[in-house]
Amino acid sequence: MKFEELKNKKILITFHINSDIDAVASACILQNILGNNITLSNYGRMDHDAKKLIEFYNKKIEKWENINLLEFEYLIAVDGQNYGMFPHLKNKKVDLLIDHHNSSTEKMQTKNDIIDPNAISTTEIIYSLIKKQNININSETAELILCGIISDSLRYKEVSKNSFLYSEELIKLIKNKYEKLIELSVPRLPKEECIGFINSAKTFKYAIEKEMIIITAKCPSYTGDIATVLSETVADVVFTTAPKEHNTLIKISGRTWVGSGVEITTILKKLEKKYNGTGGGHPYAAGMDFPATPETINKLQNKILHNCMQLSIKEIKKNK
Ligand SMILES: [Mn+2]
């Protein structure tokens, strides 16, 4: 794929639901390098920090509901690859998909793919393409690429072989302070969610296996952010759930680190069939959605978290 060939096309770029910094930043970067003919559109909810990033860079994102697909010649999807992450793209013709996930669920139909599960973020893949095609980027684009890397690497906890080299190159191009980018890329919850997080402490369950601490928690929302915070402070393995879509969906997030002997994707894969889940991610940070009903959602969350706890213990036992 040559960016040059896309330059005069009328292009629509969309990204996954529960949009995060890497998704939104990737779309904005493509818009910056491809020009004014590009429309960005999101479907469903967007992470609090992704919203803040858009506000900071003054980007316009159209609601999917307001988009007329017929007005566009070319459709690009970034930072995901299955219909669970892109429910709005079912039966749509996707021209190009750029993603870095390792999805356990079947990939959606596309004409062209650029998928590299070794890249730490989708922005990292796009930067590789920018470098190969000798494209000059401005400070804003450099900052957005860095934000994707900082955010998806969980602040360099998990990196690709390019993450440091690319970051070194990009930091020379940025105008805002690096500290500002860290601030933008670090999960900060809105106040009411902070209170929800504090209250969810009542649901914490933990186990210790071979000095590894495993925590499960039921949260009001922001499962990914809360799991990240816990894994960076007190736990080796974390699973958090939250009810979604008026209690018809359970969202789970898992976090761990390389020394725990547990891979989140391995555990979620085991739950995928049992509970009809869709999702994916990376060995140390992944998520999944499970269908539920308002009547069963509470018990089902307990059951799934209990399974996660037991499976984590089993993995730790196995690996040491
Ligand atoms: Mn990503």
Side-chain angles (χ1 to χ4, degrees):
M1 190 273 304
K2 285 252 182 293
F3 287 124
E4 197 57 44
E5 285 160 18
L6 299 179
K7 261 199 168 149
N8 291 315
K9 282 200 160 69
K10 226 175 164 302
I11 300 175
L12 178 66
I13 305 177
T14 188
F15 34 83
H16 60 80
I17 53 166
N18 300 320
S19 325
D20 59 8
I21 291 215
D22 186 35
V24 168
S26 297
C28 294
I29 294 160
L30 291 174
Q31 186 181 44
N32 283 359
I33 55 179
L34 291 173
N36 292 332
N37 256 333
I38 316 293
T39 302
L40 309 182
S41 174
N42 82 298
Y43 178 75
R45 82 163 266 292
M46 191 181 281
D47 281 357
H48 180 65
D49 43 7
K51 274 187 208 157
K52 271 176 40 190
L53 189 82
I54 290 166
E55 272 168 37
F56 183 77
Y57 287 106
N58 217 346
K59 296 288 178 187
K60 208 173 145 215
I61 314 265
E62 306 277 354
K63 284 216 166 312
W64 186 260
E65 291 77 5
N66 300 332
I67 291 288
N68 178 5
L69 267 181
L70 296 173
E71 288 174 11
F72 298 91
E73 296 168 66
Y74 200 85
L75 175 59
I76 304 179
V78 292
D79 202 35
Q81 50 184 276
N82 56 54
Y83 291 116
M85 292 178 95
F86 292 94
H88 52 309
L89 295 185
K90 273 184 197 157
N91 305 317
K92 304 285 188 302
K93 193 179 117 276
V94 177
D95 296 287
L96 176 65
L97 172 76
I98 309 178
D99 183 37
H100 70 120
H101 289 86
N102 230 335
S103 180
S104 58
T105 318
E106 201 187 336
K107 196 184 76 64
M108 61 184 185
Q109 286 191 8
T110 49
K111 273 179 95 178
N112 295 296
D113 294 329
I114 302 174
I115 296 174
D116 179 6
N118 294 317
I120 204 64
S121 66
T122 298
T123 66
E124 199 177 90
I125 299 178
I126 298 172
Y127 185 54
S128 299
L129 298 168
I130 287 172
K131 277 163 70 82
K132 254 188 227 148
Q133 300 179 28
N134 281 318
I135 291 166
N136 286 326
I137 53 169
N138 60 18
S139 59
E140 182 187 286
T141 303
E143 289 174 11
L144 287 164
I145 299 168
L146 252 182
C147 282
I149 294 176
I150 295 168
S151 168
D152 265 24
S153 71
L154 305 171
R155 276 163 282 158
Y156 300 95
K157 222 165 83 174
E158 195 190 333
V159 293
S160 76
K161 63 177 184 351
N162 292 321
S163 305
F164 288 114
L165 173 72
Y166 287 4
S167 300
E168 190 192 342
E169 290 172 3
L170 292 162
I171 206 164
K172 291 173 186 149
L173 301 174
I174 64 177
K175 257 209 195 103
N176 281 294
K177 282 203 163 134
Y178 178 71
E179 287 76 6
K180 181 71 208 174
L181 304 187
I182 287 280
E183 187 199 312
L184 285 170
S185 313
V186 166
R188 279 266 168 249
L189 305 179
K191 276 292 158 291
E192 70 276 16
E193 293 301 327
C194 294
I195 306 300
F197 182 9
I198 295 163
N199 283 327
S200 73
K202 292 177 202 134
T203 71
F204 284 15
K205 289 206 166 73
Y206 74 95
I208 304 175
E209 182 65 37
K210 306 214 167 140
E211 296 185 357
M212 296 294 167
I213 299 179
I214 310 148
I215 293 185
T216 65
K218 284 157 79 179
C219 311
S221 58
Y222 291 91
T223 54
D225 292 338
I226 293 171
T228 298
V229 170
L230 290 172
S231 78
E232 286 181 349
T233 50
V234 293
D236 297 286
V237 184
V238 186
F239 286 95
T240 52
T241 57
K244 292 269 160 204
E245 310 293 333
H246 306 286
N247 292 329
T248 59
L249 199 74
I250 295 170
K251 188 173 165 55
I252 189 166
S253 295
R255 297 285 185 275
T256 185
W257 65 292
V258 65
S260 73
V262 177
E263 287 193 351
I264 301 295
T265 30
T266 309
I267 292 187
L268 289 184
K269 208 162 193 172
K270 288 185 177 150
L271 300 180
E272 184 179 16
K273 269 222 175 92
K274 192 168 174 188
Y275 299 107
N276 196 14
T278 41
H282 314 285
Y284 309 115
M288 198 163 267
D289 289 342
F290 302 102
T293 63
E295 296 74 35
T296 58
I297 194 157
N298 200 28
K299 271 193 180 157
L300 192 56
Q301 281 189 90
N302 294 339
K303 227 170 131 183
I304 290 172
L305 287 175
H306 180 75
N307 282 172
C308 289
M309 180 75 87
Q310 295 308 316
L311 288 166
S312 301
I313 292 170
K314 220 171 126 187
E315 289 290 308
I316 292 170
K317 274 190 174 151
K318 206 167 74 188
N319 283 311
K320 292 264 161 135

